[in-house]
Amino acid sequence: RFLPVEIKNYHEPFVGGGAVALHIIRTRNPNKVILSDLNEELINCYNMIQNNVEEIIKLLKIYKQKHNEAFYYKLRSQDATKLSQVKRAARFIYLNKTCFNGLYRVNSKGEFNVPIGRYTNPGIVQEDELRAIAHLLKSVKIKCVPFEGIVDYATKGDFVYFDPPYYPVSKTAS
């Protein structure tokens, strides 16, 4: 209810899970949408859903069949930068759906380090949802840029949704 009724152009510099963006695309149908974040894995995942959703679904079906604690830690230990973009995206989704509380956290080396969650039947493959998201993203620009970079794209009258990251609760929580 707090969103403008009409949105000509929409920008979201901390896209994260994209719930607000997908809602706006679906209900307000803006002319231009630019989603961005600094998290390269997240942005790669959005790009791959936009352009290669069927390949991601195929990989997720394989991951679902192989899912157990040993497989989780094997996949988690992979160097994502050495994987194809599609495999990186499927890995990202799999880890997010099976890790503790869907938490995304990396260590100081940039390695995903969340332990496995204790789920009875994690939603590893959500074909209809992934295809629906791919459809909504079909004409969206997706960029890996710092939030300040949004000023290079936004113009007067555009709607920019800032959902900033949470402030660290301790000196070691960065």
Side-chain angles (χ1 to χ4, degrees), residues 167-174:
Y167 189 77
V169 293
S170 71
K171 291 181 181 181
T172 59
S174 58

Side-chain angles (χ1 to χ4, degrees), residues 142-163:
I142 304 166
K143 300 191 171 291
C144 189
V145 295
F147 75 93
E148 302 94 340
I150 204 68
V151 298
D152 295 335
Y153 305 104
T155 58
K156 185 177 180 175
D158 288 0
F159 183 69
V160 181
Y161 176 66
F162 283 97
D163 183 12

Side-chain angles (χ1 to χ4, degrees), residues 19-76:
V20 173
L22 295 171
H23 173 75
I24 286 174
I25 295 165
R26 189 173 45 252
T27 63
R28 304 299 197 277
N29 196 26
N31 295 334
K32 178 174 77 172
V33 176
I34 299 177
L35 306 179
S36 59
D37 201 288
L38 257 185
N39 183 330
E40 291 179 23
E41 291 300 309
L42 174 69
I43 293 303
N44 175 69
C45 188
Y46 276 117
N47 277 314
M48 292 301 100
I49 290 170
Q50 182 185 50
N51 298 301
N52 300 91
V53 72
E54 295 304 323
E55 291 178 53
I56 291 172
I57 290 169
K58 285 178 190 173
L59 285 170
L60 289 173
K61 286 179 178 180
I62 294 167
Y63 295 172
K64 182 177 181 172
Q65 290 175 346
K66 293 182 174 186
H67 177 62
N68 61 36
E69 190 169 346
F71 180 73
Y72 174 88
Y73 286 107
K74 179 182 175 184
L75 208 59
R76 189 186 84 165

Side-chain angles (χ1 to χ4, degrees), residues 2-31:
F2 298 109
L3 297 173
V5 175
E6 291 184 29
I7 297 175
K8 182 180 174 187
N9 298 317
Y10 177 74
H11 308 270
E12 190 169 335
F14 300 104
V15 69
V20 173
L22 295 171
H23 173 75
I24 286 174
I25 295 165
R26 189 173 45 252
T27 63
R28 304 299 197 277
N29 196 26
N31 295 334

